[in-house]
Every structure is written in structure tokens, then in C-alpha cells.
Amino acid sequence: MRALVQTVSRASVTVDGEVVGEITDGLLVLLGVTHDDTPTTAQTMARKVYELRLLDDEASAADSSAPLLVVSQFTLYGDARKGRRPTWAAAAPAEVAEPLVTTFVEALRARGASVATGRFRAHMLVESVNVGPRTVLLEL
């Protein structure tokens, strides 16, 4: 599992002209799932993201109650080492990935996080205003 975490002053996801998720002053999390990820992997990643000291004064979302916007992002597993066309072979198929993204979100909420989400399998317009910018790639 990979999570690209960015500090944002605001971020939103729009699907078919409707804003389906938005936050202010928090973390945008782009989440990719691979074939061997499990619910345990998703729960561990949720803890790492929630406790990541990426915000001002080395605070975490857990420390500051900062909201999170979670967007599934299979392209985090794109591989373009050969040629110009990426392969997505390392990304888990949607049937495997969707329940693990849901487990990740539920694990964050179980820890007390305020979580907004995108919409799985939808064409999403993701908009963000990065702060810092501070961006970290976590991988399990």
C-alpha cells in the first residue's frame, strides 16, 4: 500500500459537477493498493498517516484534529521504467482495492479522524492548495 500525503489549506473532489468530499487545513491522502495488501495493511497505514508529524510545529492529524481527504489512486503503482506507457500491473484490481480503501477510511474514523473521501471508480476532479509544500510518500 502506498499513500502520498500532502498538507493542504483546502482540497476537494468533484464528480459529475458535485463536490463529494472537501476539507480545509488538513491532509490530502492519495491511496494506492497493490495485490498483497490486506485489511491489516490498511489499518497499519491508517495509523501511520494519522500519526504522521507533517503539519505545522511537527503536529500530526491526531494531535491537531486536522481533517483528511482520502482519494483512491491506483496510478501510484504505475511503472514507466520501460518505454513511455506506464503499466498498472502492480495496482490491485478494483474488486480488491475498494474494500481495502474502505477499511483504511474506517480505521481512520475509528481513531477519531474527520475523513472526507472521493468516489471509487468515478472520474474525479481533485483540487488542492498545498501548504509548504509538504509531501510524503509512505509505503508498506
Side-chain angles (χ1 to χ4, degrees):
M1 187 167 279
R2 290 179 179 160
L4 184 71
V5 183
Q6 298 178 312
T7 56
V8 296
S9 63
R10 67 180 182 273
S12 65
V13 177
T14 303
V15 176
D16 295 330
E18 173 193 359
V19 175
V20 297
E22 64 184 329
I23 63 167
T24 57
D25 298 322
L27 298 175
L28 171 61
V29 182
L30 305 178
L31 187 69
V33 178
T34 192
H35 300 281
D36 59 355
D37 288 335
T38 65
T40 300
T41 308
Q43 292 165 354
T44 300
M45 183 63 86
R47 179 187 54 78
K48 288 183 72 75
V49 167
Y50 195 49
E51 296 176 359
L52 182 65
R53 298 189 169 281
L54 191 60
L55 298 165
D56 291 342
D57 300 321
E58 295 186 6
S60 67
D63 298 331
S64 64
S65 300
L68 299 97
L69 175 58
V70 177
V71 179
S72 62
Q73 189 78 42
F74 76 91
T75 59
L76 287 177
Y77 278 100
D79 184 352
R81 288 178 290 183
K82 295 181 180 178
R84 297 175 292 141
R85 181 175 295 156
T87 176
W88 315 113
E95 302 76 36
V96 173
E98 186 171 11
L100 292 174
V101 172
T102 299
T103 298
F104 175 83
V105 169
E106 289 171 353
L108 286 170
R109 289 181 176 146
R111 293 180 169 277
S114 172
V115 184
T117 64
R119 188 172 294 157
F120 205 88
R121 290 190 181 187
H123 182 266
M124 296 179 278
L125 301 177
V126 180
E127 186 174 16
S128 67
V129 177
N130 296 9
V131 174
R134 292 179 292 237
T135 302
V136 172
L137 177 63
L138 300 174
E139 189 165 14
L140 294 179

